[in-house]
Amino acid sequence: MIKVDISHVWGQIALPDLLAMEKEVAQAHATLVDGTGAGNDFLGWQNLPTREPTEEILRIQSAARKIRNDSDVFVVIGIGGSYLGPRAAIELLQGPNHNMGKGKGDPQIYFAGNGLSTRHWNELSRLLEGKDFSIAIISKSGTTTEPAIATRALRAKLEEKYGVEGAKSRIYAITDPCKGALRQMANEEGWETFVIPANVGGRFSVLTPVGLLPLAVAGVDIMELMNGAMDAKESYDLRSFDNPVWLYAAVRNLLYRNGKSMEIFESFEPGFKMFGGWWQQLFGESEGKDGKGIFPVTAEFTADLHSLGQMIQQGQRNIFETMVRFDAPAEKMVIGGDEKNLDGLNYLEGRTLDFVDEKAFLGTLAAHVDGGVPVITMDCGELNDRKVGEMFYFLELCCGVSAYILDVNPFNQPGVEFYKRNMFKLLGKPGYESK
């Protein structure tokens, strides 16, 4: 079980305030699990964890084996929840440089359709030169601008390289079960398809084929991931403050009510950066509405202590931090000695890098708390496939409970459409001339 430590928030909030929230948190949890709140038609994510492979998972595993055997590169096309989850898990488990030295048998994984940068497209085109590749298109509608453009371009590259018929066996569509442009296209072209359940929203979709196919291609044991999610589903149904879900959801809302309007979600692992990005969308899009919401920011320590550290230490006191920790890995790096000791590091000779990291964490924690920043810590234990599945479900559950405490619908995102309307009008898209 993930351990949430709130001992470094006292002084910013008081224990009686937390205990007074018990009924409020219990009601929010019940509203979520019982499906009686706003957005209750998007609660399918709660039933995704499984101990045994479903027919869909078996097909995913089979497709992943094929892709791993015939492709040097696998390109995942999607934006927002259609790519953040799998990328978060791959980089957390395998590191931000996971593509180095890979090819057939263990393909490189790249992500496209999550922006409109020509430079990014040119880079991806160069990376695909001379490589066998396959693509997954992830979209419920198939008409979202960024992935739709990437789909056209990458499909054209596949057809140029393998011919129209040959390309079909290298295109996988992950989409709505019945409707939408991508579903129609996939049916007409004969692409292999996987389903995003209609009652699962994008930012809660990582445990669907949206996440499972890219992760399986990357070599992640997706059944271990699902078992971790099931561990979380069973463990975190506890209805008391012994549940770390309750502690995290309640404390972040209490801090918000006391003027802490920004949360920095951080780890001392460079591979955590994209996981922070997944969390940022999950909470930002779920809570940021009706003039409410904690602004989510993600950071990588110790690197960002050399850029954000000053602001955190002595800037506006409208922030709180959530520090995520993992057990040290089995393989150690030991600091050596140097006869001249010009860098002054001989006092650390024989120490492990984990030892230094732990002291940096403790020193940072003490400094920020002394500087008036409340800090929640999450001890996640050993980092492995199963743990990442647990973390996904744990944070999705935290998000749903927290949003209902905030009294907003966790599962809609009406504000996302405003920029699209303006963009479509400027682009001259039919139907948007007068909007």
Side-chain angles (χ1 to χ4, degrees), residues 4 6 18 241 243-255 263-265 279 283 320-322 376-378 394-395 398-399 402 405:
V4 171
I6 62 170
L18 178 62
F241 279 118
N243 187 344
V245 170
W246 278 39
L247 284 181
Y248 181 52
V251 168
R252 65 192 307 275
N253 275 277
L254 275 176
L255 289 168
E263 178 178 8
I264 308 176
F265 194 70
W279 166 89
F283 278 82
F320 68 96
E321 296 174 85
T322 299
I376 301 167
T377 62
M378 285 185 184
F394 169 79
L395 288 166
C398 288
C399 182
S402 182
I405 293 171

Side-chain angles (χ1 to χ4, degrees), residues 5 34 41 56 100 102 110 119 131 153 161 163 182 215 220 254 268 276 287 289 298 306 323 337 339 368 417 429:
D5 183 350
D34 297 342
D41 48 343
E56 184 94 329
M100 297 293 290
K102 289 187 174 182
Y110 292 109
R119 291 180 180 85
K131 302 286 183 64
K161 187 177 181 69
L182 181 56
L215 289 171
V220 174
L254 275 176
F268 284 66
E287 293 189 324
K289 56 201 71 166
T298 186
H306 295 260
M323 291 187 179
E339 184 178 349
H368 290 184
E417 298 305 314
K429 184 174 182 177

Side-chain angles (χ1 to χ4, degrees), residues 111-411:
F111 295 87
N114 49 65
L116 296 167
S117 167
T118 304
R119 291 180 180 85
H120 181 265
W121 169 253
N122 290 341
E123 179 192 34
L124 179 60
S125 296
R126 289 191 294 269
L127 289 168
L128 291 176
E129 288 179 3
K131 302 286 183 64
D132 286 317
F133 71 100
S134 300
I135 67 173
I137 310 160
I138 304 176
S139 175
K140 274 195 170 181
S141 68
T143 59
T144 304
T145 305
E146 296 92 336
I149 291 172
T151 295
R152 277 199 181 191
L154 286 165
R155 181 183 176 185
K157 278 186 172 292
L158 281 170
E159 291 178 350
E160 180 183 2
K161 187 177 181 69
Y162 301 104
V164 173
E165 291 303 312
K168 290 181 179 180
S169 66
R170 292 177 173 270
I171 301 175
Y172 302 82
I174 302 173
T175 189
D176 188 272
C178 302
K179 61 185 180 181
L182 181 56
R183 168 55 63 183
Q184 180 182 352
M185 195 183 308
N187 289 346
E188 289 180 0
E189 298 297 333
W191 301 336
E192 183 164 6
T193 63
F194 299 96
V195 168
I196 307 171
N199 60 355
V200 177
R203 59 188 176 274
F204 289 85
S205 67
V206 66
L207 298 177
T208 73
V210 168
L212 297 181
L213 179 60
L215 289 171
V217 174
V220 174
D221 185 336
I222 59 173
M223 281 314 301
E224 272 295 283
L225 188 91
M226 292 298 263
N227 274 296
M230 182 58 85
D231 292 344
K233 180 178 171 66
E234 293 170 352
S235 299
Y236 299 122
D237 194 40
L238 186 63
R239 307 301 175 95
S240 76
F241 279 118
D242 290 329
N243 187 344
V245 170
W246 278 39
L247 284 181
Y248 181 52
V251 168
R252 65 192 307 275
N253 275 277
L254 275 176
L255 289 168
Y256 175 64
R257 293 171 188 179
N258 282 276
K260 306 301 183 183
S261 58
M262 181 181 295
E263 178 178 8
I264 308 176
F265 194 70
E266 62 215 16
S267 175
F268 284 66
E269 292 291 341
F272 188 81
K273 188 179 289 268
M274 285 306 303
F275 197 95
W278 172 83
W279 166 89
Q280 186 171 261
Q281 188 210 8
L282 179 69
F283 278 82
E285 208 165 68
S286 297
E287 293 189 324
K289 56 201 71 166
D290 302 337
K292 303 175 184 178
I294 300 166
F295 192 86
V297 179
T298 186
E300 175 202 332
F301 290 168
T302 58
D304 288 336
L305 290 173
H306 295 260
S307 57
L308 296 175
Q310 175 63 39
M311 174 63 76
I312 295 170
Q313 193 69 45
Q314 295 181 325
Q316 292 188 61
R317 300 299 80 185
N318 64 341
I319 61 176
F320 68 96
E321 296 174 85
T322 299
M323 291 187 179
V324 180
R325 298 291 287 165
F326 300 97
D327 290 350
E331 187 177 353
K332 305 297 182 185
M333 182 274 202
V334 178
I335 299 169
D338 184 273
E339 184 178 349
K340 293 183 179 179
N341 194 33
L342 294 177
D343 53 15
L345 281 181
N346 276 358
Y347 77 101
L348 293 175
E349 183 179 354
R351 296 288 193 179
T352 66
L353 189 59
D354 293 318
F355 174 83
V356 180
D357 177 78
E358 177 70 12
K359 302 312 175 190
F361 158 66
L362 293 172
T364 303
L365 175 63
H368 290 184
V369 171
D370 289 346
V373 180
V375 180
I376 301 167
T377 62
M378 285 185 184
D379 185 351
C380 295
E382 183 180 0
L383 177 56
N384 52 33
D385 298 349
R386 193 175 188 121
K387 180 58 64 176
V388 171
E390 180 186 355
M391 290 171 66
F392 278 135
Y393 193 90
F394 169 79
L395 288 166
E396 289 173 346
L397 186 58
C398 288
C399 182
V401 173
S402 182
Y404 279 135
I405 293 171
L406 193 60
D407 195 27
V408 298
N409 179 350
F411 306 111

